[in-house]
Structures are given as C-alpha cells and as structure tokens.
C-alpha cells in the first residue's frame, strides 16, 4: 500500500472559507497563536480577541480562538498531551472515539493478527491514530474535504504520517480488498441531531454490514441503544463502557470472532463478560440483604442474567436491572450495596427516616421511577453527618424505595 499523503495540506478552494481558515492555522503565525491560547480562559475571550487583533488578522484570530475552544473540549477524550497538538472540527470533537475506547479496539484488531485496516468514515482520525500506534497501517477515508485535511494534519502532528494514509473520497467507492480488516464508523448525527434508525446512518448499517462481510475481519461502530433484533447472526456484539458510562457498541465480523455472541467490556480495567448466545430470562424474587447495580454495558448487552446466575440471586422486578441476593457478591461488573430498609414509595416516610438517621449526604439512583434525583434531594432538606443511598425503583411492579450503603 503506497503512502499518498501530501507533506503539506492541500490548497483550499477560494470558495471554502472553513478550509482557508484551517490552512491559516497551520502556518507559523497560526501555530504561534494556538500555542499562546492553550491556557486561555473562555470567559475572557472578548478581551483576548481584541488584544490579538491588534497584531494579527481578525479572521486568523477568530479561527484560532475557535480551535482553542475545541482543543480544550477534546482534552476529555484525547488527554492534554495529544489534544493540544491535534486539530478539530465541532462535529469531530462530538463524534470522535475517546482514546481509551479506540485503543481497546485497536488492541483487539492487533490480537487478531491484523496489520492493515481500511478506516471508513474516519472523521478527524481518532481511531486511525490508535490503530497506527498499535503498529497497524491505516487507510483513513472521509468524504468531507475539511475533515480529511484535519485527519491528515493530526496524523502528521502526532508523528504517524508514515502509517496513516488519508484519502478524501466516498467510502462506498473504496476497494478494501488489499486490507486485512475494515472498520466503519457511520455518521449517526444529522441536521436534526442524533439518528436512531440504523438505516438512516451515513452510510446505512446494511451497506456497512455488507462491506464487513466481504472483509477477512471487520468492526462496525454503532449506537449503544441499537435494538438487538437489528444485529445479524454473523456478528459478535460488544458494548463498551468507560468509567461506568456506556460509550458505544461494536459489531465484530470474520476470522477469530464468535458469531451470535454478546460481550460487555469495562474500561479502564478491560474486564469482559461474554455469552455465546442470548441468555434466558432470570428469576424474579423478593429483595434480599444485598443489591447489585450492573454496569451499563452489561445491561445493554443483555447479560444481567449472567450476573444473576453468578451471584445466586434474582431480579427485584422482571423489567428492572437490579439484582438482589442474600449473600455478598464481589464483581467488576456490578456495584454492590447492603440494603437496610425497604419502603413503599412515600416522600414523607423517606424524609422522616433520613432525618432519624441524620443523613446529610444522599445518593439517589433510579430505575423505573419518574422522580428526578435533584428534586428528591431538595425536598428531603438533608442535614447530618451520615450518608446513604436510596434506590427509587419497582419491586414486583410496585413503586418502592430501597435504602442502603455501598459495600466495601
């Protein structure tokens, strides 16, 4: 695979002000401005802009301030070391894969023996960067000219230009046969916001699936809320959480993948829970001494029944993903609590109990309840040195309050 990246950004067309502004940022003057703005306070932006416009063109100052804001936002996903060397677009920051998740996927590809990947719909290059750092050669493709230029600039800024080839093209016209694997990250946002219909992705999930099935190995990034019935039998479906928050789902295809299986992966630990096929419905029963809150990835992957089996427990309600047992259970896939009280839903009774226990710090968790946690805390008028956790949920269909404390 020949490297075709230009050593400098392609010249923007005269009618494309966004590309012209980006090209200006990559000049020495633009780079100096970005370095100066690294730690600027957005609250002082007007004064900063006024000062900088005395010595720099107004258009360049505006572009630099916009890029500085994007870099500050990107720190949460990419870390400060990379974010302040990279370039972003507003959509690119919003839609880019966070580094921890991209590294996990790249490691899976590498473990499968993949040495080259066609990254289709590459965006600003977050996944391409992780793949290249895992030693994998990448063809990164995006049809938007500015986005492709940003991806190329990021590869060069991070010293990965020799492993990442960026091409501005329609992904449906790319020949992926020379590559060991395909990765597709369809656009899931449109002019009206987030897109929930997989066939409304760009490109549609059906096209991405067809492209995946032609490759020796493939991964498709999809929304975590995808209905399980939309997942074909050829795929392994993996849901990934990071720090307890579900970030994405991925469909894996090809050699070394278990078709029809389900997986929940928890980052940063890398703990992985799997099942070869959909699990049967777990038993339901009364609340025991202990309550377990499964990680969101476990819930999305429909693997709560596996937790129930492992802890010898049961669900508190057939529609609620709270697991209970009579003996303590420790697992990276759940947060455990010891339950001290079970009450029918009643605000006055809860307030009286918390006052009696001198609870000044209350953690509110809910599943199957319309009550907002902040509103409940406001109405409790908390005071005291102790802490507690209240679960607003349903038990055997009835609105219920469970009060307890974290295990450990």
């Amino acid at each position: 695979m020949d490297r075709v990246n230009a050593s400098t950004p392609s010249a923007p067309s005269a009618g494309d002000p966004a590309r012209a502004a980006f090209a200006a940022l990559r000049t020495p003057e633009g780079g100096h401005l970005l370095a100066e703005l690294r730690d600027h306070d957005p609250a002082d932006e007007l004064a900063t802009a006024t000062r900088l416009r005395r010595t720099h063109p107004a258009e360049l100052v505006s572009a630099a301030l916009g890029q500085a804001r994007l870099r500050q936002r990107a720190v949460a996903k990419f870390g400060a070391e990379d974010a302040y060397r990279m370039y972003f677009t507003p959509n690119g920051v919003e839609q880019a894969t966070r580094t921890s998740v991209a590294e996990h996927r790249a490691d899976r590809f590498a473990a499968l023996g993949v040495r080259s990947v066609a990254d289709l719909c590459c965006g600003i290059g977050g996944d391409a960067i992780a793949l290249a750092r895992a030693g994998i050669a990448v063809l990164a493709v995006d049809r938007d000219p500015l986005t492709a230029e940003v991806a190329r600039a990021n590869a060069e800024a991070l010293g990965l230009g020799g492993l990442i080839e960026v091409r501005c093209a329609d992904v449906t016209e790319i020949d992926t046969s020379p590559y060991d694997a395909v990765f597709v990250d369809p656009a899931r946002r449109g002019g009206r916001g987030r897109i929930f219909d997989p066939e409304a992705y760009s490109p549609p999930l059906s096209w991405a699936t067809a492209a995946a099935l032609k490759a020796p190995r493939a991964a498709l990034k999809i929304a975590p809320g995808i209905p399980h019935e939309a997942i074909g039998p050829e795929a392994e479906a993996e849901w990934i959480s990071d720090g307890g928050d579900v970030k994405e789902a991925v469909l894996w295809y090809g050699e070394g993948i278990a078709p029809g299986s389900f997986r929940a992966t928890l980052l940063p630990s890398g703990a992985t829970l799997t099942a070869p096929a959909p699990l049967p419905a777990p038993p339901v029963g009364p609340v025991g001494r202990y309550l377990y809150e499964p990680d969101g990835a476990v819930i999305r992957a429909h693997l709560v029944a596996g937790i129930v089996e492992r802890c010898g427990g049961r669900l508190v309600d057939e529609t609620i993903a709270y697991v209970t047992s009579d003996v303590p259970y420790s697992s990276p896939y759940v947060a455990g609590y010891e339950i001290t009280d079970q009450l029918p839903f009643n605000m006055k009774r809860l307030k009286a109990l918390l006052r009696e226990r001198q609870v000044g710090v209350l953690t509110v968790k809910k599943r199957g309840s319309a009550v907002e946690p902040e509103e409940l805390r406001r109405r409790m008028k908390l005071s005291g040195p102790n802490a507690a956790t209240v679960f607003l949920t349903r038990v055997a269909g009835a609105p219920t309050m469970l009060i307890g404390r974290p295990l450990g």
Side-chain angles (χ1 to χ4, degrees):
M1 291 163 287
D2 296 332
R3 308 256 56 87
V4 299
N5 281 352
S7 58
T8 57
S10 58
S13 64
D16 191 339
R19 292 175 67 194
F22 178 64
L25 288 177
R26 299 195 67 202
T27 64
E29 185 179 10
H32 174 77
L33 265 179
L34 287 173
E36 184 176 345
L37 290 168
R38 171 174 173 141
D39 298 318
H40 94 286
D41 185 348
D44 298 329
E45 189 163 297
L46 181 59
T48 301
T50 301
R51 174 176 58 81
L52 293 176
R53 283 171 181 160
R54 298 188 188 118
T55 52
H56 302 281
E59 295 82 0
L60 179 59
V61 171
S62 179
L65 284 167
Q67 190 62 222
R69 289 194 300 270
L70 294 176
R71 284 181 167 183
Q72 289 179 348
R73 285 174 55 194
V75 168
K77 285 188 174 183
F78 291 90
E81 184 176 354
D82 281 352
Y84 286 111
R85 291 188 290 165
M86 294 171 65
Y87 299 89
F88 302 94
T89 65
N91 286 339
V93 171
E94 183 70 27
Q95 299 179 22
T97 305
R98 66 174 49 229
T99 294
S100 56
V101 179
E103 288 176 344
H104 163 72
R105 182 162 38 246
D107 289 343
R108 283 204 71 183
F109 270 127
L112 291 168
V114 170
R115 294 296 173 261
S116 62
V117 171
D119 178 2
L120 308 182
C121 310
C122 69
I124 55 92
D127 279 282
I129 290 165
L131 290 164
R133 284 176 167 169
I136 297 171
V138 185
L139 170 66
V141 184
D142 201 283
R143 69 180 180 182
D144 178 67
L146 174 60
T147 301
E149 288 184 15
V150 171
R152 184 180 295 111
N154 287 336
E156 294 172 359
L158 299 179
L160 299 169
L163 279 170
I164 301 174
E165 170 192 338
V166 180
R167 192 178 300 174
C168 183
D170 186 330
V171 298
T172 64
E173 299 174 359
I174 296 296
D175 177 14
T176 62
S177 60
Y179 299 86
D180 296 341
V182 167
F183 172 61
V184 190
D185 182 4
R188 295 179 300 283
R189 286 184 179 272
R192 297 184 178 180
R194 193 178 300 275
I195 296 171
F196 297 97
D197 178 7
E199 284 307 295
Y201 292 173
S202 180
L205 181 61
S206 57
W207 179 89
T209 301
L213 293 173
K214 294 176 184 176
R217 299 176 182 86
L220 310 182
K221 180 178 172 179
I222 55 174
I226 187 171
H228 278 222
E229 56 268 22
I231 301 171
E234 309 91 347
E236 173 205 287
E238 178 183 27
W239 281 261
I240 303 169
S241 68
D242 190 3
D245 295 327
V246 181
K247 295 302 179 184
E248 65 179 60
V250 186
L251 304 182
W252 292 88
Y253 299 83
E255 301 168 15
I257 302 301
S261 63
F262 296 85
R263 178 188 296 259
T265 298
L266 282 54
L267 300 177
S269 70
T272 296
L273 185 66
T274 62
L279 298 174
V284 179
V287 176
R289 182 176 177 182
Y290 302 98
L291 189 77
Y292 305 102
E293 181 183 28
D295 184 271
V298 174
I299 296 172
R300 294 280 192 173
H302 293 188
L303 296 178
V304 175
I307 299 296
V308 172
E309 181 179 1
R310 289 180 176 213
C311 73
R314 54 206 175 264
L315 297 182
V316 301
D317 185 279
E318 63 180 359
T319 64
I320 303 294
Y322 282 140
V323 179
T324 187
S325 73
D326 303 311
V327 295
Y329 169 70
S330 178
S331 165
Y333 307 110
V334 301
Y337 299 83
E338 183 177 12
I339 298 302
T340 57
D341 301 270
Q342 176 179 345
L343 306 170
F345 181 81
N346 185 295
M347 288 284 199
K348 290 184 177 180
R349 290 186 63 183
L350 177 63
K351 185 176 181 179
L353 185 146
L354 296 177
R355 182 181 299 162
E356 177 186 333
R357 304 274 173 85
Q358 295 184 301
V359 172
V361 178
L362 183 67
T363 300
V364 182
K365 293 178 174 289
K366 68 167 193 169
R367 285 197 180 135
S369 172
V371 177
E372 291 301 324
E374 287 304 320
E375 172 64 13
L376 183 140
R377 272 190 288 265
R378 185 186 65 81
R379 293 178 61 179
M380 292 299 102
K381 298 181 180 179
L382 301 168
S383 176
N386 299 321
T389 300
V390 60
F391 296 86
L392 307 178
T393 188
R394 293 193 304 271
V395 173
T400 302
M401 301 181 299
L402 304 175
I403 297 91
R405 52 180 172 264
L407 290 175

